Amino acid sequence: MSIGVIFKLLGSLALLMFGMKSMSDALQKLAGPQLRHVLGAMTTNRFTGLLTGTLVTASVQSSTATTVMTVSFVNAGLLTLAQAISVIMGANIGTTLTAWIMSAGMSFDISIVSYIGFFVGIILIYMKKHRFIGDFLFGLGLLLLGLTTLRLTGAEMDLGHNVSVLAFFSSFDPDSFWTTLLFLFLGGVLTFCVQSSAAVMAITMILCSSGALPIYQGIALVLGENIGTTITSNLAALSANTQARRAALAHMFFNVFGVIWILMIFHPFVNMVCGWVGYDVDMEKQEVSVEAFAANAAKLTFVLAAFHTTFNLINAGILIWFIPQIERFVSWVIKPKVDEEEDFRLHFITAGFMKTPELSVLEAQKEIQSFAERMQRMFGMVQDLLNDSSSLSGKKQDDAQFNKLYTRIEKYEGISDNMELEIAKYLEQVSDAHLSDDTKGKIRAMLREISELESIGDACYNMARTISRKYNAKEEHFNEKQYGRLHQMMGLTDNALTEMNRLLSGRKETYDVNRTFNIENEINNYRNQLKAQNIVDINNHEYTYAEGTMYMDLIIECEKLGDYVVNVVEARMGTRQKGA
């Protein structure tokens, strides 16, 4: 075998893999914002979930894309675990369409279709308005060209007459259970290494259709591909939350269970599928003409596709009735993590988790919602710190309690800094890709939101430092009126934070922005009133100037915090307050 043929084989596999990736990416960009609604709306029960997974995967031509997308939606709380399991089952059925496309490409000359795809695709790409459709057609052209080149390269290699190749495969007993296990393992390892079950399927089809690889070993490789492809989603879920890791494990359980039961009836099942396609399992090369043997071997690509489809249909048909039991099993295997609220970790964004920029925006929005909720919890700690500073007596245990709470607030300030940087970094990576104008606008708004949320964290920390300074200066104390006014101002500020979180967790179309603006006006008016009153109280010697300064520092930080809240709301709503 010449070096040129080897490079032609590798190059055609690369074309095939890149074509599939381009098709998948283009379709996800085309349908990106709608895919979440499709997955959410069409997974009301296990059967619609199965159908949704099948249709989405058949559309994007990638079970990995559907599975990773589904796991990420579970991670973001957009799908339940039971819904995700049914969608993943459907993804295994949808991916069988790829095998039928490849078997057709291996059996017929479809190169003319690839050239049409290139021609129409490049026109649409340059039109820009329909560039995603153009990307899809161009990817389809690359896929079909890769298949055509593979078919021609396979014929050129003539593996059916290569003595060393035939000797290698004939050294394995086709009736041995251990041979089946070995090729199953090889299929899984190859799929894991190249991260593409399509590429391994293409190699299997070349080997089988040339007559070099017996059908039983070829089918075992296909089964291995089913296991290997589950590793991707499990790796993607390693840093995700508990539910997402359970969804990824359910994917692996589904495929491993299928392999176990098929191994029990392996030869009879394969023979049955061969009978459907019309392939003669017992035909020997030396007993028939070359033409008859070649015609029989040409049917092997369809045998592989038919087996792949039949196996996944039956497996889904069995397991769909046991989704609650599968859910309980994976929940038993993967225990929930101990709550690490005090430790910094992004809950919804994980490196390389979402491949499609349009869908990545959903992850970022969920993370910003979590960020905002954390900031309100931080403000709640500041309120508790103020209460502690007024009620604690100054004993050692009281000091320890106060310092512990102050340390928590300090830690939250560090968390807010890290969250801003990590979300911003993620959004920058997303914005490097081709995006719709609507998505670009969302990213600009989100960058403003995280900047303002981090400022809320800074304001909370500034208040905590002022309270700590007052607490440690034992002679400085607020009087009852000051505490009452501070609690009233903090109550207004907390209301503003509540309204902000209501907006971030819901749909902006249903939110009345005037509620936030009204609270902000109340905060400003109250700040002005207290500012004037503070001067009067100091002049009347109700408290010292130093106490009045710390008191007003807290009031002013609350007002600043209210401004940051308004900025977040404006960024999300895409509006600006009149006169601001």
Side-chain angles (χ1 to χ4, degrees), residues 397-555:
Q397 62 266 32
D398 294 336
D399 288 345
Q401 181 181 328
F402 182 90
N403 291 331
K404 183 180 179 182
L405 186 54
Y406 178 78
T407 302
R408 282 187 73 197
I409 294 170
E410 201 169 32
K411 194 167 188 178
Y412 261 67
E413 203 277 329
I415 288 173
S416 72
D417 290 343
N418 288 331
M419 287 193 80
E420 181 197 15
L421 291 173
E422 291 301 317
I423 297 172
K425 191 189 300 180
Y426 182 76
L427 289 172
E428 284 170 9
Q429 291 171 354
V430 172
S431 62
D432 287 339
H434 295 294
L435 300 168
S436 64
D437 291 338
D438 181 51
T439 305
K440 286 177 184 174
K442 284 180 183 175
I443 288 176
R444 284 194 297 271
M446 285 192 284
L447 286 169
R448 185 183 171 201
E449 287 166 24
I450 59 173
S451 174
E452 300 296 341
L453 286 170
E454 193 276 332
S455 296
I456 291 174
D458 288 343
C460 290
Y461 183 50
N462 288 338
M463 281 189 270
R465 287 198 301 177
T466 301
I467 295 168
S468 177
R469 195 165 68 247
K470 181 194 75 69
Y471 180 77
N472 290 321
K474 302 295 183 183
E475 69 277 5
E476 306 290 349
H477 298 287
F478 293 154
N479 63 31
E480 196 172 320
K481 285 182 182 177
Q482 285 176 306
Y483 276 118
R485 291 163 185 166
L486 279 169
H487 288 144
Q488 187 173 341
M489 175 61 97
M490 286 185 168
L492 287 171
T493 309
D494 195 54
N495 289 344
L497 287 165
T498 301
E499 287 298 325
M500 177 188 75
N501 277 309
R502 183 178 293 146
L503 168 62
L504 294 178
S505 62
R507 296 182 67 85
K508 66 180 184 180
E509 293 81 6
T510 61
Y511 182 75
D512 181 7
V513 74
N514 288 319
R515 288 192 299 210
T516 292
F517 292 155
N518 290 339
I519 294 172
E520 169 63 6
N521 288 332
E522 280 189 69
I523 291 173
N524 288 342
N525 292 336
Y526 196 48
R527 182 272 318 266
N528 294 337
Q529 178 189 331
L530 294 179
K531 202 171 184 181
Q533 185 65 46
N534 181 58
I535 295 171
V536 172
D537 290 343
I538 290 173
N539 287 335
N540 292 335
H541 304 291
E542 292 195 22
Y543 45 80
T544 66
Y545 183 83
E547 288 169 355
T549 301
M550 286 189 281
Y551 164 66
M552 283 312 300
D553 282 346
L554 293 174
I555 297 295

Side-chain angles (χ1 to χ4, degrees), residues 150-203:
L150 268 176
R151 181 175 59 82
L152 296 174
T153 306
E156 188 178 343
M157 290 165 70
D158 195 21
L159 294 173
H161 295 91
N162 188 308
V163 177
S164 56
V165 172
L166 290 172
F168 173 76
F169 286 120
S170 61
S171 64
F172 298 98
D173 180 6
D175 298 321
S176 169
F177 180 72
W178 296 110
T179 298
T180 303
L181 285 181
L182 174 63
F183 277 83
L184 188 149
F185 176 75
L186 283 174
V189 170
L190 281 171
T191 305
F192 171 67
C193 290
V194 300
Q195 288 290 293
S196 172
S197 58
V200 181
M201 176 69 84
I203 294 169

Side-chain angles (χ1 to χ4, degrees), residues 92-242:
N92 275 33
I93 298 173
T95 195
T96 61
L97 178 64
T98 307
W100 287 105
I101 293 171
M102 293 175 71
S103 63
M106 291 288 184
S107 305
F108 309 108
D109 184 5
I110 52 176
S111 56
I112 185 63
V113 181
S114 66
Y115 297 128
I116 294 171
F118 290 143
F119 178 69
V120 178
I122 201 68
I123 292 173
L124 293 175
I125 288 169
Y126 278 104
M127 285 173 67
K128 291 191 177 178
K129 186 179 179 182
H130 303 293
R131 67 180 184 275
F132 294 144
I133 299 174
D135 287 342
F136 170 76
L137 290 175
F138 215 83
L140 178 63
L142 289 171
L143 167 67
L144 297 177
L145 183 63
L147 285 172
T148 302
T149 312
L150 268 176
R151 181 175 59 82
L152 296 174
T153 306
E156 188 178 343
M157 290 165 70
D158 195 21
L159 294 173
H161 295 91
N162 188 308
V163 177
S164 56
V165 172
L166 290 172
F168 173 76
F169 286 120
S170 61
S171 64
F172 298 98
D173 180 6
D175 298 321
S176 169
F177 180 72
W178 296 110
T179 298
T180 303
L181 285 181
L182 174 63
F183 277 83
L184 188 149
F185 176 75
L186 283 174
V189 170
L190 281 171
T191 305
F192 171 67
C193 290
V194 300
Q195 288 290 293
S196 172
S197 58
V200 181
M201 176 69 84
I203 294 169
T204 307
M205 285 183 171
I206 286 177
L207 290 169
C208 286
S209 60
S210 66
L213 181 66
I215 185 59
Y216 298 116
Q217 281 95 311
I219 295 288
L221 282 175
V222 172
L223 287 175
E225 292 158 21
N226 271 29
I227 302 289
T229 196
T230 65
I231 297 173
T232 306
S233 58
N234 277 274
L235 288 177
L238 281 178
S239 57
N241 64 21
T242 301

Side-chain angles (χ1 to χ4, degrees), residues 356-370:
T356 308
E358 302 284 349
L359 293 170
S360 301
V361 172
L362 299 174
E363 302 291 329
Q365 284 177 341
K366 274 284 181 181
E367 202 64 70
I368 289 171
Q369 183 185 331
S370 172

Side-chain angles (χ1 to χ4, degrees), residues 372-412:
E373 289 167 356
R374 257 184 169 148
M375 291 304 95
Q376 186 165 13
R377 282 198 296 276
M378 185 179 182
F379 185 71
M381 292 177 202
V382 173
Q383 290 177 289
D384 292 341
L385 193 72
L386 180 65
N387 292 335
D388 285 356
S389 70
S390 65
S391 61
L392 298 179
S393 61
K395 294 177 182 177
K396 281 188 177 180
Q397 62 266 32
D398 294 336
D399 288 345
Q401 181 181 328
F402 182 90
N403 291 331
K404 183 180 179 182
L405 186 54
Y406 178 78
T407 302
R408 282 187 73 197
I409 294 170
E410 201 169 32
K411 194 167 188 178
Y412 261 67

